Amino acid sequence: MTHTVYIVAAYGIAFGVLVGYYLSLIQRTAEAKKDLAARRRDA
Amino acid sequence: MALLALLAGQIAAFTAPPDRVQGQVQRIMYVHVPSAWAMYLTVIVVGVSSLLYLITRQWRWDLIAHAAGELAVVLCGLALVTGGIWGKPTWGTWWTWDARLTSTALMFIIFAGYLLLRSFVEDPGRRARLAAVVGIIGLADVPIIHLSVYWWRTLHQAPSVLRPPVVLRTQGPAIEDPRMLAALLINVAAFTLLYFFFLIHRVRLGQLQGELEAPKPEMAPLAAGAVHVEGGAG
């Protein structure tokens, strides 16, 4: 039972971090595209 | 493809037999070892790209090094945290100043510093040059981490797969059950694919950010083969 907690914690953190990182990449890319489009519009 | 490999890896991880000594908790290995492997891979990418940047002064190498450096922090952190969670039930402690753990923590600090350095230095040329030096220092830590278990008396076990030839000859394979070895290798392959997927996305993001930094569109530092001019934006 105790070991299950360690396994769930390790897998939860690992996949949580990987998904979180991917979401941050998507968000930062969308922001950069938006800023670039605004800059091109202003130019 | 990376997702499919990851799914296959998890199926293999949870259908492989448990370890004779550690029991079910050994399954943490299927996420800890691939994280550490991907960490090695990304640090090698940072080091080689940094070296190529210093030789060629082409922005593309700095861009790749930056992307891989960010991933180094993520993957090194992951290897440290999953290792700590595995260490508690098997060693009785989350952390110990063992040579393998300490050299990995040093790697984390080096790459956290690498990202901080990149955010503090404004001049793009100076930033890329200094970051490249730190990236190469980070690369030098890879053999230290990997061989630390042989160089010093450590609590951490010897590598399960990537053993030096001399050790392999004297001790034989670390994982005897082929189902456990297969599960580990599938997860290593899945993390490798996932790593390159992230790296490509992060490089694309870097290209966009570079275009935003460049004063004029034609001066964007990311045009293929663009050569950096010292002190300029690209």
Side-chain angles (χ1 to χ4, degrees):
Chain A
M1 179 60 193
T2 319
H3 284 183
T4 310
V5 173
Y6 291 112
I7 297 167
V8 170
Y11 277 81
I13 289 172
F15 288 102
V17 166
L18 293 175
V19 170
Y21 182 72
Y22 181 54
L23 292 177
S24 94
L25 272 185
I26 291 174
Q27 195 219 345
R28 285 185 290 166
T29 305
E31 269 176 26
K33 278 182 180 169
K34 203 174 80 182
D35 291 348
L36 208 58
R39 184 174 148 157
R40 281 178 184 152
R41 224 178 14 248
D42 295 343
Chain B
M1 196 167 160
L3 274 180
L4 278 178
L6 213 54
L7 188 67
Q10 297 331 298
I11 293 168
F14 285 92
T15 51
D19 184 73
R20 237 189 344 240
V21 180
Q22 295 183 28
Q24 299 291 344
V25 79
Q26 170 271 338
R27 294 189 196 282
I28 294 174
M29 176 183 80
Y30 302 118
V31 71
H32 171 68
V33 174
S35 303
W37 156 253
M39 174 194 80
Y40 283 168
L41 194 61
T42 197
V43 172
I44 290 169
V45 171
V46 176
V48 171
S49 304
S50 299
L51 199 63
L52 287 170
Y53 172 76
L54 290 178
I55 294 167
T56 65
R57 297 295 160 127
Q58 288 186 354
W59 278 110
R60 69 177 88 171
W61 299 119
D62 180 55
L63 194 66
I64 295 169
H66 185 191
E70 187 178 284
L71 278 158
V73 174
V74 174
L75 293 165
C76 190
L78 215 54
L80 283 170
V81 171
T82 54
I85 295 171
W86 192 8
K88 181 64 181 166
T90 50
W91 299 342
T93 180
W94 301 101
W95 177 264
T96 175
W97 292 101
D98 165 281
R100 170 64 71 87
L101 274 66
T102 307
S103 52
T104 309
L106 182 67
M107 172 81 85
F108 183 82
I109 292 165
I110 289 171
F111 281 96
Y114 177 89
L115 293 185
L116 276 176
L117 176 81
R118 296 199 72 107
S119 64
F120 287 150
V121 182
E122 284 193 11
D123 176 58
R126 193 156 175 262
R127 178 172 63 206
R129 206 169 54 246
L130 290 174
V133 173
V134 177
I136 292 166
I137 292 170
L139 177 65
D141 196 24
V142 170
I144 297 173
I145 293 175
H146 196 67
L147 298 172
S148 59
V149 288
Y150 300 111
W151 291 346
W152 294 283
R153 186 187 293 269
T154 63
L155 190 57
H156 196 286
Q157 69 183 65
S160 303
V161 180
L162 291 174
R163 292 184 153 195
V166 65
V167 177
L168 199 60
R169 273 200 300 276
T170 54
Q171 294 180 5
I175 300 173
E176 287 171 6
D177 193 306
R179 288 168 298 174
M180 290 166 82
L181 184 62
L184 180 62
L185 294 179
I186 292 169
N187 277 292
V188 165
F191 268 66
T192 305
L193 287 173
L194 195 66
Y195 165 67
F196 282 111
F197 173 76
F198 282 158
L199 184 68
I200 291 165
H201 268 260
R202 183 60 185 81
V203 168
R204 276 191 203 141
L205 172 62
Q207 284 177 335
L208 291 170
Q209 288 171 337
E211 281 179 46
L212 279 167
E213 255 190 32
K216 289 178 188 171
E218 65 270 21
M219 287 181 75
L222 306 153
V227 176
H228 163 64
V229 178
E230 277 307 307

